[in-house]
Amino acid sequence: MKVLIAEDESIIRMDLRETLQKAGHVVIGEASDGAEAITLARSLSPDVVLLDIRMPGTSGLEAAEQISGEKIAPCVLLTAFHDQKLIEKAARSGVFSYLVKPFHERELMAALEMASSRFGETRSLEEELEGTKMALETRKWVDRARGHLMDRYGVKEKEAFSLIRKRAMDTQKSLGEVAREILEHDEKERS
């Protein structure tokens, strides 16, 4: 896994880098504050971002919110504080995992794997949802265009759909594009 580390204490950052490399991961970047972590995440496209929650300037929590909001990579927060309000805030900001220091290497590896896996699942679901939205939108346009053709030319439903489909094939356009063109053309004629 390509990992970006954001930790303001250089000794801890070095220890994290060594632990990750020993486990077979690649540390592609290191940041000492949240703002730098955001910049590096945007340019390096890591598989996961490991952030200390409290850093000078932009905090790890703020950086995680930005990185998660842009869907760059999953974020794992590290903190020395076990505070329920902080955990709730982290969950609302899109963080995929949360570790309290000190932690064991196996806990860190499990958190990274879990974050990466859940991020992939979330991305797949979002893509599926977007595809479904587009299919519904296309269906709405086609249904409206089919109804329009039925009303205007007195054709049956099946024939109206066949006309839309044939035009889509002839022009090498999608059904949705053809349906919109039919309706837009009709609106222009009415104007």
Side-chain angles (χ1 to χ4, degrees):
M1 228 183 290
K2 298 182 302 183
V3 183
L4 170 62
I5 300 171
E7 165 65 61
D8 60 326
E9 294 185 39
S10 59
I11 293 171
I12 295 174
R13 205 169 49 238
M14 183 179 70
D15 186 42
L16 285 169
R17 181 180 59 242
E18 288 174 8
T19 301
L20 290 165
Q21 289 172 335
K22 188 174 96 181
H25 299 292
V26 178
V27 177
I28 61 169
E30 296 180 29
S32 58
D33 63 57
E36 186 180 11
I38 294 166
T39 301
L40 288 174
R42 286 175 178 151
S43 65
L44 299 175
S45 299
D47 295 321
V48 68
V49 180
L50 194 55
L51 297 141
D52 183 28
I53 203 162
R54 297 212 173 149
M55 292 185 285
T58 304
S59 73
L61 192 56
E62 293 166 325
E65 191 169 0
Q66 185 73 35
I67 293 166
S68 295
E70 293 179 26
K71 296 175 178 36
I72 297 169
C75 295
V76 175
L77 283 180
L78 306 173
T79 184
F81 308 97
H82 183 61
D83 175 358
Q84 189 60 37
K85 288 187 185 210
L86 209 49
I87 293 170
E88 290 168 6
K89 236 178 160 178
R92 283 192 307 273
S93 69
V95 169
F96 280 82
S97 194
Y98 184 97
L99 287 171
V100 179
K101 299 174 193 175
F103 48 83
H104 297 284
E105 179 181 336
R106 67 181 181 276
E107 294 169 329
L108 175 61
M109 296 310 133
L112 294 177
E113 289 295 327
M114 182 72 75
S116 178
S117 176
R118 285 194 174 151
F119 185 74
E121 290 169 6
T122 301
R123 229 183 205 167
S124 292
L125 287 171
E126 287 171 347
E127 288 170 4
E128 187 178 325
L129 179 61
E130 190 58 35
T132 301
K133 284 179 181 176
M134 288 175 62
L136 284 171
E137 188 65 26
T138 296
R139 184 174 176 146
K140 282 190 229 175
W141 281 102
V142 170
D143 285 348
R144 286 178 54 209
R146 186 175 53 211
H148 168 73
L149 291 173
M150 290 167 61
D151 290 344
R152 180 148 190 186
Y153 299 106
V155 296
K156 296 190 186 281
E157 185 176 349
K158 193 173 185 179
E159 188 179 348
F161 182 73
S162 291
L163 289 169
I164 296 168
R165 187 175 57 212
K166 183 177 180 339
R167 185 164 171 190
M169 287 189 288
D170 290 348
T171 59
Q172 294 184 348
K173 293 181 179 178
S174 73
L175 290 173
E177 289 173 310
V178 169
R180 280 192 294 275
E181 287 175 359
I182 289 169
L183 294 169
E184 288 169 359
H185 177 74
D186 184 59
E187 279 185 31
K188 285 181 187 174
E189 283 185 355
R190 281 192 223 164
S191 300

Tab-separated table of all heavy atoms in Angstrom, residues 129-173:
chain	number	residue	atom	x	y	z
A	129	LEU	N	-24.397	3.918	-7.479
A	129	LEU	CA	-25.488	4.866	-7.271
A	129	LEU	C	-25.535	5.886	-8.401
A	129	LEU	O	-26.616	6.213	-8.911
A	129	LEU	CB	-25.327	5.574	-5.922
A	129	LEU	CG	-26.372	6.617	-5.563
A	129	LEU	CD1	-27.755	5.993	-5.485
A	129	LEU	CD2	-26.011	7.287	-4.240
A	130	GLU	N	-24.388	6.385	-8.802
A	130	GLU	CA	-24.339	7.357	-9.891
A	130	GLU	C	-24.858	6.745	-11.183
A	130	GLU	O	-25.609	7.377	-11.930
A	130	GLU	CB	-22.908	7.886	-10.081
A	130	GLU	CG	-22.801	9.064	-11.007
A	130	GLU	CD	-23.629	10.266	-10.584
A	130	GLU	OE1	-23.777	10.538	-9.379
A	130	GLU	OE2	-24.156	10.943	-11.494
A	131	GLY	N	-24.486	5.494	-11.450
A	131	GLY	CA	-24.976	4.794	-12.633
A	131	GLY	C	-26.483	4.629	-12.599
A	131	GLY	O	-27.170	4.798	-13.620
A	132	THR	N	-27.002	4.310	-11.429
A	132	THR	CA	-28.447	4.150	-11.270
A	132	THR	C	-29.161	5.479	-11.490
A	132	THR	O	-30.204	5.537	-12.153
A	132	THR	CB	-28.774	3.591	-9.864
A	132	THR	OG1	-28.105	2.339	-9.709
A	132	THR	CG2	-30.264	3.403	-9.667
A	133	LYS	N	-28.602	6.557	-10.946
A	133	LYS	CA	-29.197	7.888	-11.147
A	133	LYS	C	-29.239	8.248	-12.631
A	133	LYS	O	-30.232	8.771	-13.128
A	133	LYS	CB	-28.398	8.955	-10.394
A	133	LYS	CG	-28.630	8.970	-8.913
A	133	LYS	CD	-27.772	10.062	-8.276
A	133	LYS	CE	-27.921	10.144	-6.795
A	133	LYS	NZ	-27.013	11.142	-6.202
A	134	MET	N	-28.128	7.949	-13.321
A	134	MET	CA	-28.074	8.262	-14.754
A	134	MET	C	-29.082	7.434	-15.532
A	134	MET	O	-29.732	7.932	-16.448
A	134	MET	CB	-26.654	8.045	-15.286
A	134	MET	CG	-25.671	9.099	-14.815
A	134	MET	SD	-23.973	8.775	-15.321
A	134	MET	CE	-24.108	8.822	-17.081
A	135	ALA	N	-29.224	6.150	-15.173
A	135	ALA	CA	-30.190	5.285	-15.855
A	135	ALA	C	-31.610	5.786	-15.631
A	135	ALA	O	-32.426	5.795	-16.560
A	135	ALA	CB	-30.041	3.847	-15.356
A	136	LEU	N	-31.923	6.225	-14.407
A	136	LEU	CA	-33.257	6.766	-14.120
A	136	LEU	C	-33.515	8.049	-14.898
A	136	LEU	O	-34.617	8.266	-15.417
A	136	LEU	CB	-33.424	7.018	-12.620
A	136	LEU	CG	-33.659	5.782	-11.768
A	136	LEU	CD1	-33.585	6.134	-10.282
A	136	LEU	CD2	-35.010	5.160	-12.097
A	137	GLU	N	-32.511	8.893	-14.970
A	137	GLU	CA	-32.644	10.147	-15.708
A	137	GLU	C	-32.893	9.866	-17.188
A	137	GLU	O	-33.767	10.480	-17.817
A	137	GLU	CB	-31.390	11.008	-15.523
A	137	GLU	CG	-31.487	12.394	-16.090
A	137	GLU	CD	-32.526	13.271	-15.398
A	137	GLU	OE1	-32.848	13.039	-14.220
A	137	GLU	OE2	-33.023	14.196	-16.057
A	138	THR	N	-32.134	8.913	-17.726
A	138	THR	CA	-32.323	8.534	-19.129
A	138	THR	C	-33.730	7.997	-19.348
A	138	THR	O	-34.403	8.349	-20.317
A	138	THR	CB	-31.274	7.476	-19.548
A	138	THR	OG1	-29.977	8.063	-19.470
A	138	THR	CG2	-31.515	6.968	-20.953
A	139	ARG	N	-34.165	7.142	-18.439
A	139	ARG	CA	-35.508	6.558	-18.570
A	139	ARG	C	-36.592	7.637	-18.563
A	139	ARG	O	-37.559	7.570	-19.329
A	139	ARG	CB	-35.754	5.558	-17.448
A	139	ARG	CG	-37.074	4.880	-17.610
A	139	ARG	CD	-37.287	3.812	-16.612
A	139	ARG	NE	-38.621	3.274	-16.793
A	139	ARG	CZ	-38.946	2.035	-16.609
A	139	ARG	NH1	-38.044	1.191	-16.210
A	139	ARG	NH2	-40.177	1.636	-16.787
A	140	LYS	N	-36.414	8.665	-17.691
A	140	LYS	CA	-37.394	9.759	-17.642
A	140	LYS	C	-37.483	10.471	-18.997
A	140	LYS	O	-38.574	10.751	-19.495
A	140	LYS	CB	-37.022	10.781	-16.562
A	140	LYS	CG	-37.351	10.363	-15.164
A	140	LYS	CD	-37.174	11.551	-14.241
A	140	LYS	CE	-36.358	11.189	-13.041
A	140	LYS	NZ	-36.068	12.327	-12.181
A	141	TRP	N	-36.301	10.774	-19.575
A	141	TRP	CA	-36.281	11.461	-20.870
A	141	TRP	C	-36.924	10.604	-21.953
A	141	TRP	O	-37.706	11.097	-22.778
A	141	TRP	CB	-34.845	11.817	-21.273
A	141	TRP	CG	-34.308	13.024	-20.578
A	141	TRP	CD1	-33.445	13.050	-19.537
A	141	TRP	CD2	-34.608	14.385	-20.880
A	141	TRP	NE1	-33.184	14.348	-19.164
A	141	TRP	CE2	-33.883	15.192	-19.980
A	141	TRP	CE3	-35.415	15.010	-21.829
A	141	TRP	CZ2	-33.941	16.578	-19.996
A	141	TRP	CZ3	-35.463	16.401	-21.851
A	141	TRP	CH2	-34.742	17.157	-20.940
A	142	VAL	N	-36.585	9.311	-21.959
A	142	VAL	CA	-37.127	8.414	-22.979
A	142	VAL	C	-38.639	8.290	-22.826
A	142	VAL	O	-39.381	8.336	-23.818
A	142	VAL	CB	-36.429	7.028	-22.918
A	142	VAL	CG1	-37.146	6.009	-23.805
A	142	VAL	CG2	-34.968	7.148	-23.336
A	143	ASP	N	-39.117	8.159	-21.594
A	143	ASP	CA	-40.561	8.056	-21.359
A	143	ASP	C	-41.283	9.314	-21.835
A	143	ASP	O	-42.358	9.236	-22.453
A	143	ASP	CB	-40.864	7.799	-19.880
A	143	ASP	CG	-40.562	6.379	-19.450
A	143	ASP	OD1	-40.334	5.512	-20.330
A	143	ASP	OD2	-40.529	6.131	-18.227
A	144	ARG	N	-40.688	10.474	-21.548
A	144	ARG	CA	-41.324	11.730	-21.989
A	144	ARG	C	-41.335	11.825	-23.512
A	144	ARG	O	-42.333	12.234	-24.120
A	144	ARG	CB	-40.596	12.931	-21.385
A	144	ARG	CG	-40.898	13.107	-19.904
A	144	ARG	CD	-40.150	14.256	-19.266
A	144	ARG	NE	-40.340	15.520	-19.969
A	144	ARG	CZ	-39.442	16.495	-19.988
A	144	ARG	NH1	-38.309	16.377	-19.323
A	144	ARG	NH2	-39.679	17.607	-20.639
A	145	ALA	N	-40.191	11.458	-24.141
A	145	ALA	CA	-40.111	11.529	-25.601
A	145	ALA	C	-41.066	10.524	-26.245
A	145	ALA	O	-41.727	10.829	-27.255
A	145	ALA	CB	-38.679	11.274	-26.065
A	146	ARG	N	-41.163	9.349	-25.668
A	146	ARG	CA	-42.082	8.328	-26.194
A	146	ARG	C	-43.532	8.842	-26.113
A	146	ARG	O	-44.295	8.738	-27.080
A	146	ARG	CB	-41.914	7.035	-25.402
A	146	ARG	CG	-42.712	5.890	-25.960
A	146	ARG	CD	-42.456	4.599	-25.245
A	146	ARG	NE	-42.642	4.771	-23.814
A	146	ARG	CZ	-41.977	4.084	-22.897
A	146	ARG	NH1	-41.074	3.199	-23.249
A	146	ARG	NH2	-42.221	4.285	-21.622
A	147	GLY	N	-43.897	9.411	-24.963
A	147	GLY	CA	-45.241	9.980	-24.805
A	147	GLY	C	-45.501	11.084	-25.807
A	147	GLY	O	-46.599	11.186	-26.384
A	148	HIS	N	-44.469	11.905	-26.020
A	148	HIS	CA	-44.596	13.003	-26.989
A	148	HIS	C	-44.848	12.455	-28.386
A	148	HIS	O	-45.742	12.937	-29.107
A	148	HIS	CB	-43.315	13.852	-26.966
A	148	HIS	CG	-43.228	14.810	-28.093
A	148	HIS	ND1	-43.998	15.953	-28.168
A	148	HIS	CD2	-42.490	14.790	-29.232
A	148	HIS	CE1	-43.716	16.601	-29.287
A	148	HIS	NE2	-42.813	15.912	-29.948
A	149	LEU	N	-44.092	11.444	-28.804
A	149	LEU	CA	-44.256	10.855	-30.137
A	149	LEU	C	-45.636	10.203	-30.282
A	149	LEU	O	-46.268	10.296	-31.348
A	149	LEU	CB	-43.152	9.826	-30.412
A	149	LEU	CG	-41.741	10.398	-30.574
A	149	LEU	CD1	-40.716	9.270	-30.667
A	149	LEU	CD2	-41.642	11.327	-31.784
A	150	MET	N	-46.095	9.567	-29.217
A	150	MET	CA	-47.419	8.935	-29.238
A	150	MET	C	-48.512	9.985	-29.456
A	150	MET	O	-49.417	9.804	-30.274
A	150	MET	CB	-47.661	8.157	-27.941
A	150	MET	CG	-46.805	6.906	-27.822
A	150	MET	SD	-46.798	6.179	-26.159
A	150	MET	CE	-48.522	5.799	-25.925
A	151	ASP	N	-48.414	11.090	-28.714
A	151	ASP	CA	-49.405	12.163	-28.824
A	151	ASP	C	-49.338	12.846	-30.190
A	151	ASP	O	-50.360	13.095	-30.826
A	151	ASP	CB	-49.198	13.216	-27.741
A	151	ASP	CG	-49.544	12.721	-26.352
A	151	ASP	OD1	-50.220	11.672	-26.248
A	151	ASP	OD2	-49.121	13.366	-25.372
A	152	ARG	N	-48.131	13.162	-30.604
A	152	ARG	CA	-47.962	13.973	-31.820
A	152	ARG	C	-48.278	13.197	-33.092
A	152	ARG	O	-48.858	13.751	-34.023
A	152	ARG	CB	-46.536	14.503	-31.864
A	152	ARG	CG	-46.282	15.358	-33.082
A	152	ARG	CD	-45.313	16.406	-32.837
A	152	ARG	NE	-45.308	17.309	-33.984
A	152	ARG	CZ	-44.476	18.268	-34.123
A	152	ARG	NH1	-43.617	18.508	-33.170
A	152	ARG	NH2	-44.509	19.039	-35.163
A	153	TYR	N	-47.836	11.932	-33.144
A	153	TYR	CA	-47.988	11.176	-34.381
A	153	TYR	C	-49.014	10.047	-34.289
A	153	TYR	O	-49.225	9.322	-35.264
A	153	TYR	CB	-46.632	10.610	-34.833
A	153	TYR	CG	-45.631	11.710	-35.096
A	153	TYR	CD1	-44.595	11.949	-34.201
A	153	TYR	CD2	-45.744	12.528	-36.216
A	153	TYR	CE1	-43.685	12.961	-34.427
A	153	TYR	CE2	-44.841	13.543	-36.453
A	153	TYR	CZ	-43.808	13.759	-35.548
A	153	TYR	OH	-42.922	14.766	-35.784
A	154	GLY	N	-49.625	9.885	-33.122
A	154	GLY	CA	-50.654	8.864	-32.964
A	154	GLY	C	-50.134	7.436	-33.069
A	154	GLY	O	-50.858	6.539	-33.489
A	155	VAL	N	-48.873	7.239	-32.740
A	155	VAL	CA	-48.294	5.893	-32.784
A	155	VAL	C	-48.467	5.207	-31.431
A	155	VAL	O	-48.720	5.846	-30.416
A	155	VAL	CB	-46.794	5.921	-33.179
A	155	VAL	CG1	-46.633	6.461	-34.588
A	155	VAL	CG2	-45.977	6.726	-32.196
A	156	LYS	N	-48.356	3.899	-31.453
A	156	LYS	CA	-48.448	3.135	-30.211
A	156	LYS	C	-47.122	3.222	-29.450
A	156	LYS	O	-46.098	3.607	-30.003
A	156	LYS	CB	-48.799	1.687	-30.507
A	156	LYS	CG	-50.174	1.536	-31.132
A	156	LYS	CD	-50.566	0.090	-31.179
A	156	LYS	CE	-51.850	-0.111	-31.919
A	156	LYS	NZ	-53.037	0.148	-31.306
A	157	GLU	N	-47.179	2.848	-28.192
A	157	GLU	CA	-46.020	2.952	-27.304
A	157	GLU	C	-44.792	2.208	-27.857
A	157	GLU	O	-43.691	2.749	-27.888
A	157	GLU	CB	-46.390	2.395	-25.927
A	157	GLU	CG	-45.314	2.564	-24.878
A	157	GLU	CD	-45.762	2.092	-23.498
A	157	GLU	OE1	-46.960	1.828	-23.290
A	157	GLU	OE2	-44.879	1.984	-22.637
A	158	LYS	N	-45.007	0.988	-28.318
A	158	LYS	CA	-43.904	0.172	-28.821
A	158	LYS	C	-43.261	0.814	-30.054
A	158	LYS	O	-42.047	0.842	-30.200
A	158	LYS	CB	-44.428	-1.226	-29.149
A	158	LYS	CG	-43.364	-2.255	-29.378
A	158	LYS	CD	-43.993	-3.640	-29.515
A	158	LYS	CE	-42.923	-4.689	-29.625
A	158	LYS	NZ	-43.474	-6.028	-29.732
A	159	GLU	N	-44.085	1.337	-30.927
A	159	GLU	CA	-43.584	1.978	-32.146
A	159	GLU	C	-42.816	3.263	-31.813
A	159	GLU	O	-41.779	3.542	-32.403
A	159	GLU	CB	-44.745	2.284	-33.094
A	159	GLU	CG	-44.299	2.765	-34.452
A	159	GLU	CD	-45.472	3.049	-35.385
A	159	GLU	OE1	-46.613	2.659	-35.063
A	159	GLU	OE2	-45.239	3.675	-36.424
A	160	ALA	N	-43.321	4.027	-30.858
A	160	ALA	CA	-42.628	5.259	-30.440
A	160	ALA	C	-41.240	4.925	-29.899
A	160	ALA	O	-40.252	5.586	-30.248
A	160	ALA	CB	-43.452	5.997	-29.389
A	161	PHE	N	-41.170	3.887	-29.090
A	161	PHE	CA	-39.864	3.493	-28.552
A	161	PHE	C	-38.948	3.008	-29.668
A	161	PHE	O	-37.758	3.319	-29.684
A	161	PHE	CB	-40.017	2.411	-27.471
A	161	PHE	CG	-38.700	2.023	-26.864
A	161	PHE	CD1	-38.043	2.880	-25.989
A	161	PHE	CD2	-38.097	0.814	-27.179
A	161	PHE	CE1	-36.820	2.535	-25.434
A	161	PHE	CE2	-36.876	0.470	-26.631
A	161	PHE	CZ	-36.233	1.324	-25.752
A	162	SER	N	-39.496	2.267	-30.620
A	162	SER	CA	-38.693	1.784	-31.762
A	162	SER	C	-38.114	2.947	-32.560
A	162	SER	O	-36.979	2.883	-33.031
A	162	SER	CB	-39.541	0.894	-32.674
A	162	SER	OG	-39.843	-0.314	-32.025
A	163	LEU	N	-38.915	4.008	-32.718
A	163	LEU	CA	-38.425	5.197	-33.434
A	163	LEU	C	-37.238	5.839	-32.699
A	163	LEU	O	-36.245	6.232	-33.325
A	163	LEU	CB	-39.557	6.218	-33.598
A	163	LEU	CG	-40.672	5.857	-34.573
A	163	LEU	CD1	-41.845	6.826	-34.430
A	163	LEU	CD2	-40.131	5.871	-35.999
A	164	ILE	N	-37.360	5.935	-31.380
A	164	ILE	CA	-36.269	6.521	-30.580
A	164	ILE	C	-35.027	5.644	-30.685
A	164	ILE	O	-33.917	6.128	-30.909
A	164	ILE	CB	-36.702	6.693	-29.104
A	164	ILE	CG1	-37.852	7.693	-28.998
A	164	ILE	CG2	-35.518	7.146	-28.248
A	164	ILE	CD1	-38.530	7.717	-27.634
A	165	ARG	N	-35.229	4.338	-30.557
A	165	ARG	CA	-34.092	3.407	-30.600
A	165	ARG	C	-33.415	3.434	-31.965
A	165	ARG	O	-32.190	3.445	-32.075
A	165	ARG	CB	-34.559	1.998	-30.247
A	165	ARG	CG	-33.400	1.018	-30.118
A	165	ARG	CD	-33.804	-0.341	-29.661
A	165	ARG	NE	-34.802	-0.850	-30.602
A	165	ARG	CZ	-35.793	-1.656	-30.267
A	165	ARG	NH1	-35.939	-2.049	-29.032
A	165	ARG	NH2	-36.643	-2.079	-31.180
A	166	LYS	N	-34.202	3.442	-33.050
A	166	LYS	CA	-33.634	3.463	-34.396
A	166	LYS	C	-32.823	4.735	-34.616
A	166	LYS	O	-31.716	4.694	-35.148
A	166	LYS	CB	-34.740	3.355	-35.442
A	166	LYS	CG	-34.186	3.308	-36.867
A	166	LYS	CD	-35.279	3.138	-37.888
A	166	LYS	CE	-34.813	3.072	-39.315
A	166	LYS	NZ	-33.541	3.588	-39.683
A	167	ARG	N	-33.377	5.854	-34.189
A	167	ARG	CA	-32.651	7.124	-34.357
A	167	ARG	C	-31.344	7.113	-33.558
A	167	ARG	O	-30.323	7.612	-34.023
A	167	ARG	CB	-33.524	8.296	-33.928
A	167	ARG	CG	-32.877	9.635	-34.194
A	167	ARG	CD	-33.876	10.733	-34.123
A	167	ARG	NE	-33.224	12.024	-34.179
A	167	ARG	CZ	-33.830	13.154	-33.949
A	167	ARG	NH1	-35.123	13.165	-33.687
A	167	ARG	NH2	-33.190	14.286	-34.007
A	168	ALA	N	-31.381	6.528	-32.355
A	168	ALA	CA	-30.164	6.428	-31.536
A	168	ALA	C	-29.112	5.594	-32.254
A	168	ALA	O	-27.926	5.956	-32.287
A	168	ALA	CB	-30.496	5.832	-30.168
A	169	MET	N	-29.526	4.481	-32.847
A	169	MET	CA	-28.566	3.627	-33.568
A	169	MET	C	-28.045	4.331	-34.815
A	169	MET	O	-26.857	4.288	-35.109
A	169	MET	CB	-29.212	2.290	-33.928
A	169	MET	CG	-29.393	1.386	-32.729
A	169	MET	SD	-29.921	-0.293	-33.141
A	169	MET	CE	-31.619	-0.020	-33.645
A	170	ASP	N	-28.935	4.981	-35.548
A	170	ASP	CA	-28.540	5.660	-36.793
A	170	ASP	C	-27.564	6.806	-36.529
A	170	ASP	O	-26.676	7.060	-37.338
A	170	ASP	CB	-29.769	6.201	-37.531
A	170	ASP	CG	-30.640	5.095	-38.125
A	170	ASP	OD1	-30.184	3.926	-38.175
A	170	ASP	OD2	-31.790	5.404	-38.518
A	171	THR	N	-27.753	7.509	-35.437
A	171	THR	CA	-26.905	8.674	-35.134
A	171	THR	C	-25.773	8.336	-34.169
A	171	THR	O	-24.963	9.204	-33.853
A	171	THR	CB	-27.745	9.811	-34.527
A	171	THR	OG1	-28.364	9.339	-33.327
A	171	THR	CG2	-28.788	10.318	-35.512
A	172	GLN	N	-25.752	7.081	-33.717
A	172	GLN	CA	-24.748	6.621	-32.743
A	172	GLN	C	-24.744	7.492	-31.482
A	172	GLN	O	-23.704	7.900	-30.983
A	172	GLN	CB	-23.354	6.575	-33.376
A	172	GLN	CG	-23.254	5.538	-34.469
A	172	GLN	CD	-21.869	5.402	-35.034
A	172	GLN	OE1	-20.988	6.222	-34.795
A	172	GLN	NE2	-21.654	4.343	-35.800
A	173	LYS	N	-25.953	7.751	-31.011
A	173	LYS	CA	-26.138	8.511	-29.783
A	173	LYS	C	-26.874	7.630	-28.782
A	173	LYS	O	-27.480	6.618	-29.166
A	173	LYS	CB	-26.943	9.788	-30.038
A	173	LYS	CG	-26.207	10.804	-30.888
A	173	LYS	CD	-27.044	12.041	-31.078
A	173	LYS	CE	-26.275	13.067	-31.922
A	173	LYS	NZ	-27.083	14.267	-32.167
